[in-house]
């Protein structure tokens, strides 16, 4: 088991057994030892639609019950809905989800009563888990005693999204909801209908489909184009498996980048400070009237930076990642009502902000996207790319500047290199090639920027080819 950019991840077969009990116990022990919880307190559990998630949730519930906690089962709900509900109840929670990774894997996201755990918490939970393992920890004979509050959790989240805008804010829009297997699928339909959009449901699946909002497969993108034309859609919206990363395609069916959605939402909220990882578009700094702070990739790093800014007295602080997940570090007041801070990724707020802008601006999403004049940015990944191969490549590149120059070769002349998270190589002509091993899967990610889409696509394919050729050489 390993903590990645967000949560614990591993093979579903491993998590469904002793591992989930071990880490649930370690998490609960961490809460008790740190004074964040007491025996008899509530701990909430939610899950996605993976086939392995109910079994993992049951094992976690049994482990928590054995320690004397009251386990509240919130069912299949989006991660931001679970986190919001738990925060309001001042309770810890666990979300059983592997997010966008393949169905044979799964994971657990942990939340303290005051929000998402940080990297220091991850290390402490891991330490406790190792101690328990050395002592021969085994969960035997425990019964999963659970209270069920799925409807209440969903209603609480619906109320938050209902008050973001006037109820008729999306009137006149026809929006497709790509439902696949995301736990956000029915709530998306409900909230869009609540704001008077005409909703067309698309592609619902009973089997789990791993949707990565940063790397939409070509066949899915082509299906979006067909749906957009067939149903005359103003947009297609969706989310990843656990509903914390948005997917929005414009009126032509072309997916919008997540950092563009974050930028739109920051303007919608009239943010004064934006926190975003180094992988987000480099044009963000000049695209709004806010200060920009850059971090490593992963919501824990974005949250840590937001909390530091809030402690320094900053107001109207928002964070977002290149995957589109939107986090609020402070309270906001859209539509004249208080929107409480939710420092965990949320897919609903950026979706609603983008759709609202279509009506308020009178422009289709395709024109809105191009109006920001950001550098063209695309990303993809090499799947089943071993951790050993990633480590060898990154070690080679970090050893000497000449190695980077040799790797880039005829692509261009290296201007500067950032080692904040992976290697971000800026060329003399301002194109960007960013290589970053995934923090939670055997994958190598490649992010690029160029002046136009055609050049960006060419640079992306060239970069991916260089990675493949280097590992095979």
């Amino acid at each position: 088991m390993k903590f990645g950019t967000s949560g614990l991840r591993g093979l579903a077969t491993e998590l469904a057994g002793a591992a989930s009990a071990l880490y649930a116990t370690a998490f609960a022990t961490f809460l008790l030892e740190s004074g964040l919880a007491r025996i008899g307190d509530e701990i909430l559990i939610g899950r996605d639609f993976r086939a392995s998630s109910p079994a993992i949730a049951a094992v976690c519930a049994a482990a928590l019950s054995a320690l004397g906690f009251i386990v509240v089962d919130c069912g299949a709900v989006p991660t931001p809905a679970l986190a919001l509900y738990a925060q309001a109840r001042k309770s810890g929670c666990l979300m059983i989800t592997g997010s966008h990774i393949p169905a044979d894997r799964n994971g657990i996201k942990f939340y303290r009563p005051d929000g998402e755990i940080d990297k220091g918490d991850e290390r402490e939970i891991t330490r406790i888990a190792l101690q328990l393992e050395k002592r021969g920890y085994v969960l035997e004979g425990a019964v999963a005693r659970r209270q069920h509050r799925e409807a209440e959790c969903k209603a609480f989240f619906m109320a938050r999204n209902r008050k973001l805008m006037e109820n008729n804010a999306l009137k006149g829009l026809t929006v497709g909801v790509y439902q696949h297997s995301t736990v956000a699928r029915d709530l998306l339909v409900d909230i869009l209908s609540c704001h008077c959009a005409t909703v067309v449901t698309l592609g619902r699946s009973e089997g789990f489909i791993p949707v990565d909002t940063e790397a939409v497969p070509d066949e899915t993108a082509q299906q979006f184009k067909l749906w957009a034309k067939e149903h005359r859609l103003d947009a297609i919206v969706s989310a990843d498996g656990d509903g914390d990363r948005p997917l929005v395609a414009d009126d032509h069916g072309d997916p919008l980048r997540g950092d563009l959605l974050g930028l739109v939402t920051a303007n919608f909220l009239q943010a004064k400070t934006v926190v975003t990882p180094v992988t987000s578009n480099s044009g963000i700094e000049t695209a709004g009237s806010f200060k920009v702070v850059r971090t490593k990739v992963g919501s824990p790093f974005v949250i840590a930076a937001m909390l530091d800014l809030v402690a320094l007295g900053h107001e109207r602080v928002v964070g977002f990642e290149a995957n589109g997940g939107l986090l609020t570090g402070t309270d906001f007041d859209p539509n004249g009502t208080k929107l409480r801070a939710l420092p965990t990724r949320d897919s609903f707020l950026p979706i609603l902000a983008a759709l609202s802008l279509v009506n308020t601006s009178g422009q289709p999403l395709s024109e809105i996207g191009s109006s920001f004049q950001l550098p063209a940015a695309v990303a993809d990944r090499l799947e089943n790319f071993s951790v050993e191969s990633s480590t060898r490549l990154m070690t080679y590149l970090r050893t000497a500047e000449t190695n980077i120059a040799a790797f880039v070769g005829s692509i261009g002349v290296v201007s500067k290199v950032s080692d904040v998270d992976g290697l971000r190589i800026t060329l003399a002509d301002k194109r960007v090639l960013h290589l970053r091993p995934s923090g939670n899967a055997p994958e190598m990610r490649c992010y690029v920027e160029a002046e136009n889409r055609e050049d960006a696509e060419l640079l992306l394919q060239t970069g991916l080819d260089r990675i493949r050729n280097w590992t095979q050489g």
Side-chain angles (χ1 to χ4, degrees), residues 209-466:
I209 300 175
V211 171
D212 186 347
T213 61
E214 287 187 274
V216 179
D218 289 340
E219 58 269 26
T220 303
Q222 289 302 314
Q223 183 62 66
F224 283 180
K225 290 180 181 294
L226 294 174
W227 280 334
K229 184 177 181 180
E230 177 186 356
H231 300 287
R232 298 182 180 181
L233 302 176
D234 294 292
I236 297 173
V237 303
S238 188
D240 63 341
D242 66 316
D244 70 346
R245 304 179 182 193
L247 175 56
V248 177
D250 65 20
D251 44 299
H252 300 311
D254 294 321
L256 302 181
R257 278 184 56 90
D259 45 15
L260 173 60
L261 295 175
L263 175 57
V264 167
T265 312
N267 288 333
F268 173 80
L269 293 174
Q270 299 179 356
K272 292 184 178 180
T273 305
V274 163
V275 180
T276 193
V278 292
T279 49
S280 291
N281 196 293
S282 60
I284 289 170
E285 272 77 356
T286 58
S289 57
F290 40 67
K291 175 183 178 181
V292 179
V293 175
R294 296 281 181 164
T295 72
K296 290 183 178 181
V297 175
S299 57
F301 296 110
V302 175
I303 293 168
M306 289 197 306
L307 292 177
D308 287 344
L309 290 164
V310 173
L312 291 171
H314 287 248
E315 299 177 345
R316 308 188 76 83
V317 179
V318 70
F320 59 82
E321 299 184 86
N323 56 44
L326 197 289
L327 310 91
T328 47
T330 58
D331 295 343
F332 286 88
D333 54 355
N335 196 33
T337 60
K338 187 173 184 178
L339 183 74
R340 293 194 177 277
L342 181 61
T344 196
R345 285 189 302 233
D346 177 17
S347 65
F348 283 70
L349 180 52
I351 285 172
L352 293 175
L355 294 177
S356 173
L357 187 55
V358 175
N359 267 356
T360 57
S361 69
Q363 293 180 295
L365 265 181
S366 54
E367 291 183 12
I368 290 172
S370 60
S371 68
F372 284 95
Q373 298 183 328
L374 298 175
V378 291
D380 205 346
R381 56 184 172 163
L382 294 179
E383 297 182 277
N384 301 314
F385 194 88
S386 71
V387 174
E388 292 76 16
S389 295
S390 296
T391 301
R392 284 195 302 111
L393 174 57
M394 300 309 288
T395 300
Y396 166 77
L397 293 174
R398 289 183 172 118
T399 300
E401 293 181 3
T402 53
N403 290 352
I404 297 175
F407 179 83
V408 172
S410 60
I411 295 176
V413 177
V414 177
S415 173
K416 63 180 180 180
V417 177
S418 169
D419 200 8
V420 172
D421 198 341
L423 279 177
R424 189 174 180 86
I425 304 165
T426 303
L427 304 175
D429 59 7
K430 297 185 179 180
R431 288 181 298 160
V432 173
L433 177 66
H434 187 165
L435 310 181
R436 177 181 164 271
S438 172
N440 50 39
E443 299 173 350
M444 173 65 82
R445 292 185 178 271
C446 184
Y447 310 82
V448 305
E449 290 184 14
E451 185 176 353
N452 56 64
R453 180 80 182 194
E454 184 178 355
D455 288 348
E457 293 284 1
L458 177 61
L459 179 58
L460 177 62
Q461 293 309 312
T462 303
L464 293 172
D465 287 342
R466 289 293 165 90

Side-chain angles (χ1 to χ4, degrees), residues 31-191:
L31 293 180
L32 294 171
E33 291 182 352
S34 59
L36 292 168
R38 296 178 297 179
I39 297 296
D41 284 353
E42 289 183 347
I43 292 188
L44 282 57
I45 297 180
R47 63 183 183 273
D48 65 14
F49 283 134
R50 290 167 187 266
S52 60
S53 291
I56 295 171
V59 172
C60 289
L64 296 170
S65 296
L67 287 173
F69 285 92
I70 297 172
V71 179
V72 178
D73 188 345
C74 292
V77 295
T79 293
L82 178 71
L84 180 73
Y85 188 54
Q87 180 179 288
R89 300 185 68 83
K90 296 181 172 57
S91 302
C93 68
L94 294 78
M95 179 68 185
I96 314 303
T97 179
S99 186
H100 62 281
I101 61 177
D104 65 337
R105 297 174 177 271
N106 212 325
I108 308 175
K109 294 181 180 179
F110 300 97
Y111 289 79
R112 306 178 315 207
D114 58 347
E116 191 172 328
I117 63 171
D118 60 27
K119 289 299 179 182
D121 298 336
E122 289 178 2
R123 290 189 290 270
E124 187 63 11
I125 293 167
T126 301
R127 180 191 66 79
I128 295 171
L130 290 173
Q131 282 186 342
L132 290 169
E133 197 169 32
K134 287 179 181 178
R135 295 172 188 166
Y137 169 82
V138 177
L139 178 67
E140 290 183 341
V143 178
R145 297 184 297 274
R146 291 176 277 187
Q147 298 180 7
H148 296 271
R149 293 196 202 135
E150 181 175 345
E152 186 175 328
C153 179
K154 289 180 176 178
F156 194 74
F157 191 60
M158 273 290 294
R160 173 186 177 86
N161 288 282
R162 187 181 296 114
K163 68 181 182 181
L164 275 174
M165 308 178 294
E166 296 293 336
N167 284 347
N168 63 353
L170 304 183
K171 187 175 182 179
L173 298 185
T174 302
V175 182
V177 175
Y178 174 40
Q179 295 195 300
H180 63 95
S181 52
T182 176
V183 284
R185 59 191 183 187
D186 294 323
L187 281 173
L188 278 172
V189 173
D190 291 344
I191 196 62

